[in-house]
Amino acid sequence: MTSHQTTQTMKPATAAKKLGVYLEATPAEFQEGVVSRTELNALQADPPQWLQDLRRTGPHPRPVVAAKLGVSIAGLARGGVTEALTTEQIDALKQENPEWLRKERATQAEVRKEAVRIKEKQEKDREKSAQQADESRGPRS
């Protein structure tokens, strides 16, 4: 019995997202084709020059811009950044450090602190529940 395995493909937009690059900046043949899982793995394992250049200098998609600036995607939008930015533009923004960027970074820092606090509380609650469950079973004979 032979098993026929179909090749898993994705749209260029999905592949670009997985590669962390801005679709509109990729070569035309990438934008117009479909990308197989094997091709995506090959691009990740041994990125061609165009992919290396895009990752280094951009333009970068908003999730990457947000990460490089240390803010959320919503924070970018609140700051008026709606387009892809190059590494040079991101560095310039960091240098300029406008009020909105300082505020969004502070907000993001608070969000991260809160996430850590919640995680720690959940761990303590789990430990407490486990301890109570052990105690309620009573001594074993």
Side-chain angles (χ1 to χ4, degrees):
M1 193 169 134
T2 58
S3 67
H4 180 70
Q5 195 172 11
T6 57
T7 305
Q8 196 180 17
T9 59
M10 61 194 83
K11 294 177 183 172
T14 305
K17 194 178 218 174
K18 289 181 183 289
L19 292 169
V21 294
Y22 186 56
L23 177 64
E24 285 76 10
T26 61
E29 62 269 15
F30 181 86
Q31 292 181 40
E32 294 161 4
V34 292
V35 181
S36 72
R37 173 67 59 189
T38 306
E39 289 168 326
L40 179 73
N41 291 341
L43 286 169
Q44 287 172 322
D46 186 20
Q49 193 60 50
W50 66 263
L51 183 54
Q52 292 175 39
D53 293 344
L54 263 182
R55 285 178 167 167
R56 187 173 43 260
T57 60
H60 303 287
R62 286 183 315 164
V64 174
V65 172
K68 285 180 179 275
L69 288 173
V71 300
S72 66
I73 295 172
L76 272 184
R78 286 190 292 271
V81 178
T82 56
E83 297 300 310
L85 298 179
T86 63
T87 301
E88 197 176 307
Q89 290 170 310
I90 293 168
D91 290 344
L93 253 178
K94 285 178 177 176
Q95 284 295 311
E96 191 182 307
N97 202 12
E99 175 63 27
W100 73 264
L101 182 56
R102 289 193 300 272
K103 244 166 67 179
E104 291 300 335
R105 281 180 162 169
T107 299
Q108 196 65 14
E110 287 301 316
V111 168
R112 283 193 210 101
K113 262 177 33 188
E114 181 65 4
V116 167
R117 187 193 68 75
I118 290 169
K119 187 178 177 191
E120 288 171 350
K121 183 184 183 310
Q122 288 171 338
E123 286 172 9
K124 282 181 187 163
D125 290 350
R126 272 195 297 275
E127 288 171 10
K128 193 175 176 182
S129 294
Q131 190 178 12
Q132 287 173 340
D134 283 349
E135 288 170 359
S136 69
R137 288 191 199 110
R140 295 194 178 150
S141 33

